[in-house]
Amino acid sequence: MSNSNRILIVDDDPMNCELLEMWLASAGFADVDSVYSGSEALLHVKDSPPDLILLDVRMPEMDGLEVCRRLKADATTLFIPIILITGHNTHQDRLNGLRAGANDFVARSVDEAELLARVNVLLENKRLYDELRATMRERIEFISQISHELRTPLFAIHGLTEMLLDGEVTQPDEVRNYLQTIYDQSGHLSRLVDDLLDLSRFERGAQTLKYETLALGPFLDDTVALMQPLAHARNIELRLLAVPRQLLVSVDEGRLRQVFINLLNNALRYNDEGGWVEIAVQSESNAVQISVRDGGWGIGTLDMPHIFRRFYRGALAQQRKSGAGGAGLGLALASEIIRAHGGTLTAQSEGVAGRGSTFVVTLPRTVT
Ligand code: ADP
């Protein structure tokens, strides 16, 4: 199997490089480069950082220890694991290597199996480390997004309350308008916080579902009835195609309702007046597929890979908000809820306005 990790070999003797390249190639490493001096190595690492470096200690001009020291002193290359190849791997060799910051050492006489085993251990550590760094970055970004989302309604509530307290607004109609905005904005804040708490519980696996056996037909009838007022208000035809009778699923009803309200809400909002939304159910031997299809604005190819990410709002959604704009948490939460049920939530769209989008919820079927 091909291994996509990038490995850099640094050795002034091309024969040594060739041998290592051969071993790595036979173990499936497809991205291996060799350079023949310390200064070339530093340039190469800057241009295309590898996932691991095999570094000969004894080289003319700049030796391996110096290369190692320089890479470990630079915050951008510090995390690339380095295996030093020493002459005899003596106590003094290892000590020098450790002081230069090397992650591991092998003697020039090392055999293929041991070298590959050491390479794999360090690559696995690097993978875990990269994952951790990506998670940290995501968390930091997440905190700044939350702060931004909370700030806008808080700012409005604070500003309007201040104006009311200062007596700047006295006309009863105006006072009422201000109070209404404060009420709406605080409702928005509270929904946002609820969604965030829900999302974090699902992501941590700390949310328990209250499973019950549910007849899908009546459940979808009720959900559609709940959404009809919004459909009427936007002059959109919302229809539910016939659901096979006695189609049962084992689900948390409240949570499943939350998912469909979100999907329908989106289908109705990202749609023009006079449009349509259709729910269809398909049952297979061990799964049920419920699709929510709309003939609305569709999802652009640039947006598609991101729509399930927290706080992600598509380009069109940001430009042409119809009705209250969401915070971009709905689909993230919906997909976590469906995943907790052992199902999947997927999206399809050609990205062409008028051809709309389809969201498909697949749930395990309860066999009767
Ligand atoms: P929100 O609706 O609050 O922006 P969601 O997480 O529910 O957040 O949706 C994320 C994005 O996915 C939306 O901003 C929109 O760009 C896109 N989207 C979701 N559903 C639809 C749909 N039915 N039609 C077109 N775009 C959609």
Side-chain angles (χ1 to χ4, degrees), residues 262-263 266-271 292 294 296-299 303 306-309 311-318 325-333 349 356-359:
N262 182 265
L263 295 179
N266 284 347
L268 293 167
R269 280 187 304 138
Y270 302 127
N271 209 329
V292 176
D294 66 69
W297 304 347
I299 301 167
D303 287 328
H306 308 290
I307 56 169
F308 291 102
R309 276 177 39 200
F311 292 118
Y312 190 83
R313 272 176 290 198
L316 280 179
Q318 292 184 46
L329 290 175
L331 286 180
L333 187 53
S349 176
S357 329
T358 305
F359 285 82

Side-chain angles (χ1 to χ4, degrees), residues 16-72:
N16 290 340
C17 294
E18 259 175 53
L19 179 69
L20 292 173
E21 280 174 18
M22 206 172 67
W23 287 353
L24 290 165
S26 67
F29 288 93
D31 195 347
V32 180
D33 282 319
S34 289
V35 293
Y36 308 106
S37 71
S39 48
E40 270 182 283
L42 293 176
L43 281 177
H44 192 285
V45 171
K46 271 250 164 317
D47 277 358
S48 52
D51 295 302
L52 182 136
I53 303 173
L54 287 165
L55 179 59
D56 180 27
V57 170
R58 198 152 355 130
M59 290 187 294
E61 292 165 38
M62 192 189 300
D63 70 4
L65 291 176
E66 181 56 22
V67 175
C68 190
R69 268 192 291 273
R70 292 198 189 186
L71 292 175
K72 295 296 179 183

Side-chain angles (χ1 to χ4, degrees), residues 263 289-292 299 304 307-308 331 335 338 343-349 357-362:
L263 295 179
Q289 284 197 339
I290 310 144
S291 61
V292 176
I299 301 167
M304 192 52 121
I307 56 169
F308 291 102
L331 286 180
S335 79
I338 296 299
T344 56
L345 171 60
T346 56
Q348 295 148 21
S349 176
S357 329
T358 305
F359 285 82
V360 181
V361 173
T362 305

